[in-house]
Amino acid sequence: MAHVPVGEAERGALWRQMTAPNRHYHDAGHLADLWRLHRAYGAEVDLARPEDTSLIACAIAYHDAVVVGGACDNERRSAEQWMADRAAMPEADRLWVAETILATADHMGSGAAICGEAGRRARARQWMLDLDLASLGLPWPQFTANTARLRQEASHLDDAQWRGALGCFFSRLGASPTIYRLPPLHDRLERQARENIERCLDKVAAG
């Protein structure tokens, strides 16, 4: 949060959201995990400049600001909260963060070309999307623990609906040519993520 230029009141409100009792997976720990990965590997994708760090930090901090089970507009409302909190940064940067938050609604939908300065922003967005999917590439016990935490957040679904939603999401990810677009996480996590997804889909199919 030291890299997120919003007021203390806004930071406090966001912290209360991220530590609310209904947060089981999309919580402050999730944000910390993404931040640790960025700090560890961001330089490998040339995204370690102060201005890059600020953009990524803001996107991480706010991308799950709103998590309401069953709602289809969580990302939109999270982006709206970000814009309403009036971060002290150029409008173009604020809009980039909002658009990146919206992109997390469909992790496979951001395919902008990487070239020049526009490409740098595209790469930063792709990096944020990679970070948000990093937990898929954890060892199987951690993957299943995270899936259980996600199930807790989806208490509005019965078991059959949950299996259907999980199967749909993982089938789409598994069918993608690549889960992680950029080398740091692709090289480290892609194989494990695909193994996890395949095992999870087998369990879903078995009921």
Side-chain angles (χ1 to χ4, degrees), residues 93-115:
D93 291 351
R94 293 176 65 239
L95 289 172
W96 181 92
V97 173
E99 290 164 2
T100 299
I101 293 170
L102 292 173
T104 64
D106 179 11
H107 290 82
M108 298 294 102
S110 178
I114 298 174
C115 59

Side-chain angles (χ1 to χ4, degrees), residues 26-112:
H26 297 100
D27 58 8
H30 173 58
L31 305 188
D33 289 341
L34 270 59
W35 182 243
R36 280 193 292 269
L37 285 169
H38 173 65
R39 298 292 283 180
Y41 303 118
E44 293 186 26
V45 286
D46 192 24
L47 291 172
R49 300 185 308 180
E51 54 268 43
D52 301 322
T53 296
S54 181
L55 288 175
I56 297 297
C58 292
I60 289 174
Y62 276 83
H63 80 286
D64 286 326
V66 177
V67 173
V68 177
C72 60
D73 63 347
N74 287 325
E75 292 81 11
R76 179 184 62 79
R77 291 172 61 192
S78 296
E80 288 174 351
Q81 179 174 329
W82 158 255
M83 293 298 290
D85 281 359
R86 305 294 301 177
M89 60 199 315
E91 184 68 6
D93 291 351
R94 293 176 65 239
L95 289 172
W96 181 92
V97 173
E99 290 164 2
T100 299
I101 293 170
L102 292 173
T104 64
D106 179 11
H107 290 82
M108 298 294 102
S110 178

Side-chain angles (χ1 to χ4, degrees), residues 25 133-150 166 169-170 173 192-201 203:
Y25 175 81
L133 293 178
S135 65
L136 297 179
L138 294 173
W140 177 250
Q142 293 170 265
F143 174 88
T144 55
N146 283 332
T147 303
R149 292 164 65 200
L150 286 167
L166 203 63
F169 177 65
F170 283 139
L173 281 177
Q192 182 67 55
R194 290 196 175 275
E195 290 178 2
N196 290 339
I197 288 170
E198 184 175 348
R199 289 182 68 176
C200 189
L201 287 173
K203 291 185 67 175

